C-alpha cells in the first residue's frame, strides 16, 4: 500500500466533508492546550517542580504559541485562496508546522529564554 496525502487513517471522507472543522479544532486545540499547560505549570510551580516547568512545559508552551502564530497564515491562505485543498492536506500542513516548531523550540530553548530575558528590559 502506497502513501497518499489524501489518506488519513481512514477518516479522510469525514475530514474532507467538513474542512471547516479542521480549522476550528486546530485553533481551539492550540488555545486549550496553552490553557492546560499554563494550569499544569502553575500547579507544578506551587509544588516546587521548577525544573520540569522550565525544561518541559515552557518549551511546549513556546511550541504552541509559535505554531499558533505561524500556522495562521498558511492555513488561512490554503483554506480561502486555494479552494481545492482538502481538509486532510490542511491537517498534514498543521502536523508539519507543529513538528518543526517542536524541534526548533526544544533545540533552541536556551536561546529563546535568553532572548526573552533581554527583551523585557
Amino acid at each position: 500500500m502506497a502513501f497518499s496525502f489524501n489518506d488519513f487513517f481512514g477518516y479522510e471522507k469525514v475530514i474532507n466533508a467538513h474542512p471547516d472543522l479542521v480549522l476550528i479544532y486546530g485553533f481551539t486545540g492550540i488555545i486549550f492546550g496553552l490553557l492546560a499547560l499554563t494550569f499544569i505549570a502553575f500547579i507544578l510551580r506551587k509544588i516546587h517542580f521548577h525544573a520540569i516547568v522550565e525544561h518541559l512545559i515552557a518549551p511546549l508552551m513556546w511550541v504552541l504559541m509559535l505554531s499558533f502564530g505561524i500556522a495562521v497564515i498558511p492555513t488561512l491562505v490554503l483554506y480561502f485562496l486555494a479552494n481545492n485543498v482538502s481538509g486532510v492536506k490542511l491537517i498534514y500542513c498543521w502536523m508539519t508546522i507543529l513538528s518543526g516548531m517542536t524541534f526548533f523550540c526544544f533545540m533552541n530553548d536556551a536561546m529563546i529564554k535568553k532572548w526573552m530575558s533581554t527583551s523585557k528590559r
Side-chain angles (χ1 to χ4, degrees):
M1 187 167 127
F3 177 77
S4 173
F5 280 108
N6 293 320
D7 295 338
F8 193 74
F9 304 111
Y11 295 108
E12 57 272 354
K13 290 180 184 175
V14 176
I15 293 170
N16 287 331
H18 305 288
D20 299 337
L21 293 179
V22 172
L23 295 176
I24 292 169
Y25 288 145
F27 287 124
T28 56
I30 288 177
I31 291 170
F32 285 122
L34 275 170
L35 288 173
L37 285 174
T38 304
F39 183 68
I40 290 169
F42 175 76
I43 291 171
L44 290 175
R45 282 189 193 272
K46 286 291 183 185
I47 58 177
H48 302 288
F49 287 141
H50 297 285
I52 294 173
V53 173
E54 293 298 319
H55 297 291
L56 181 67
I57 305 293
L60 287 175
M61 291 176 72
W62 278 112
V63 166
L64 291 177
M65 286 187 282
L66 289 173
S67 294
F68 184 75
I70 291 174
V72 168
I73 296 168
T75 303
L76 295 179
V77 166
L78 287 174
Y79 183 72
F80 290 116
L81 297 181
N83 294 331
N84 58 352
V85 175
S86 67
V88 174
K89 290 180 183 173
L90 285 174
I91 289 175
Y92 282 126
C93 179
W94 275 75
M95 287 171 47
T96 304
I97 291 170
L98 190 64
S99 63
M101 283 292 115
T102 303
F103 181 75
F104 173 80
C105 287
F106 276 103
M107 291 296 124
N108 297 315
D109 186 40
M111 180 196 70
I112 293 171
K113 288 178 184 175
K114 181 179 176 185
W115 177 72
M116 285 305 295
S117 67
T118 58
S119 65
K120 289 181 184 177
R121 294 179 195 165

